[in-house]
Amino acid sequence: MRFTIVTPSYNQADYLAEAIESVIGQEGEFSIDYIIVDGGSTDGSVDIIRHYAAVVEEKRRECRCLGVTLRWLSEKDDGQADALMKGFRLADGEVLAWLNSDDSYLPGALGKVAALFDRRPGLSVVYGQTHYTDPAGVVIGRYPTGPFDYQRLATFNYICQPSTFFTKDAFEEVGGLDAALHFVMDCDLWIRLAKGFEFGYLQEFLANYRLHDESKTVSERSALANHEEALMVVRRHYGRAPLSRVYVCCHQRLSDVLPPFLKKLRFPLFLSALPLTLARYLRLNKGVHREDFRDIRLHKVRKLFRSRLDLYRRP
């Protein structure tokens, strides 16, 4: 088996070497086609990439798999999805994945993925479990993954991107990534793949997902745009606006206009978001979907009173 791993990179020199090391250090009966697409970094990232390209080409370190190639380019792009597609168009592996420059694979990850693809040749997508880490790389929690359920993707993306691998044939058949998306290109891809291909859930930790100030997952600056894009994608694929997604959009929109001291009053903020949510939900759906109300659980309501970062930490 040959993997193509694409890493989009832009001014992430603090984390980039760790990401690269985690790819080229994988061990197993497979080969790796590694492609780094840099967006024109100015923080020393290109020097790091150039160093590792020489290390791989000149075989300065022991290769623990059947072979590693490292290709790279550095030029301006139109965003993460555009950078990724530049890399995937160059791919010569039969199994594809992308690893962001601030994330990393765990030792043995690719070997576990290859083994599952070998055991179940009908699979087109394999995904596993993922640790959340802080900026220093210390594990602080886990991404809430679970067995595959197409309908559940409408309300929550439980398939974590750094721990997800898909065949090149399936990726190309669904048209690759939507370059118009800036936040949820991964969930959009999973939904399109799920309509015609088989997923396999590997209950093993495969990657680390780093949370830091510039992470799109944590950043309050991009939170509303992230939620709105997710709602738009789900409406496009499922033909409805799930209550949970409408609520987080309304809650975030309200939070963005409040002074900091009022944001800390979580219960009043929750109550204030409810009528906005109901009005928008009814307008978007032109009625009520029973599954939205069947999905309400007490533990989910409790999450509404916790901060974004606290949601990612261990209980």
Side-chain angles (χ1 to χ4, degrees):
M1 181 174 293
R2 184 163 175 79
F3 288 91
T4 289
I5 310 297
V6 177
T7 290
S9 172
Y10 183 67
N11 287 343
Q12 293 280 349
D14 290 344
Y15 311 120
L16 181 57
E18 183 179 344
I20 296 173
E21 289 274 3
S22 77
V23 174
I24 66 177
Q26 291 290 312
E27 180 177 357
E29 296 297 309
F30 50 81
S31 61
I32 301 172
D33 167 38
Y34 191 25
I35 302 171
I36 303 175
V37 183
D38 181 78
S41 295
T42 57
D43 65 344
S45 293
V46 173
D47 291 334
I48 294 171
I49 298 168
R50 188 178 287 113
H51 164 74
Y52 278 103
V55 166
V56 170
E57 183 178 359
E58 297 169 12
K59 296 181 170 57
R60 297 183 199 168
R61 59 185 293 170
E62 177 188 5
C63 181
R64 299 177 179 177
C65 63
L66 299 180
V68 177
T69 59
L70 194 162
R71 296 178 281 163
W72 65 282
L73 58 94
S74 181
E75 62 186 27
K76 187 176 180 180
D77 55 55
D78 292 326
Q80 185 182 13
D82 178 56
L84 285 166
M85 286 304 296
K86 287 182 181 181
F88 286 132
R89 291 187 192 103
L90 300 173
D92 62 19
E94 60 197 276
V95 173
L96 312 180
W98 79 87
L99 183 74
N100 292 325
S101 53
D102 49 359
D103 298 331
S104 59
Y105 287 135
L106 294 173
L110 269 59
K112 294 172 182 177
V113 172
L116 184 55
F117 272 118
D118 285 341
R119 290 196 306 270
R120 297 176 58 187
L123 292 179
S124 294
V125 182
V126 168
Y127 67 100
Q129 299 179 343
T130 308
H131 293 299
Y132 279 129
T133 71
D134 66 12
V138 177
V139 174
I140 59 173
R142 58 179 292 175
Y143 193 99
T145 54
F148 181 74
D149 180 342
Y150 175 73
Q151 291 302 324
R152 190 182 171 209
L153 278 174
T155 57
F156 176 68
N157 181 15
Y158 58 88
I159 300 174
C160 191
Q161 171 267 310
S163 294
T164 305
F165 302 78
F166 38 91
T167 65
K168 184 178 182 181
D169 288 345
F171 181 74
E172 291 181 343
E173 186 166 328
V174 300
L177 296 173
D178 184 344
L181 299 176
H182 299 286
F183 301 99
V184 298
M185 69 285 292
D186 55 342
C187 188
D188 174 70
L189 178 63
W190 313 152
I191 293 170
R192 286 185 285 121
L193 286 168
K195 294 175 181 178
F197 298 95
E198 185 178 354
F199 282 57
Y201 177 40
L202 184 60
Q203 297 188 52
E204 301 262 9
F205 282 96
L206 303 178
N208 293 319
Y209 191 145
R210 195 187 307 266
L211 301 175
H212 54 92
D213 289 342
E214 297 304 314
S215 169
K216 289 189 291 187
T217 303
V218 176
S219 174
E220 286 290 337
R221 296 191 304 273
S222 59
L224 180 59
N226 193 331
H227 294 321
E228 289 288 356
E229 186 175 277
L231 178 60
M232 179 270 292
V233 165
V234 168
R235 287 187 68 203
R236 183 170 67 200
H237 289 296
Y238 290 86
R240 66 183 181 92
L243 179 63
S244 59
R245 293 195 182 272
V246 175
Y247 172 81
V248 295
C249 288
C250 292
H251 183 279
Q252 188 64 51
R253 190 175 294 277
L254 188 60
S255 177
D256 283 353
V257 300
L258 292 176
F261 75 94
L262 286 179
K263 292 181 184 182
K264 296 179 181 179
L265 304 176
R266 299 194 180 279
F267 187 68
L269 184 57
F270 164 73
L271 291 178
S272 299
L274 288 180
L276 299 176
T277 300
L278 182 59
R280 189 177 185 193
Y281 173 84
L282 292 174
R283 176 171 58 82
L284 292 176
N285 291 293
K286 296 180 173 56
V288 174
H289 291 270
R290 292 182 181 179
E291 54 265 43
D292 287 321
F293 294 91
R294 285 199 299 263
D295 193 47
I296 295 175
R297 299 287 186 276
L298 180 59
H299 73 278
K300 293 183 179 180
V301 174
R302 287 172 178 163
K303 288 182 179 180
L304 302 176
F305 302 101
R306 299 171 64 187
S307 70
R308 285 170 62 83
L309 187 57
D310 283 344
L311 289 174
Y312 307 126
R313 297 185 184 277
R314 286 197 178 103

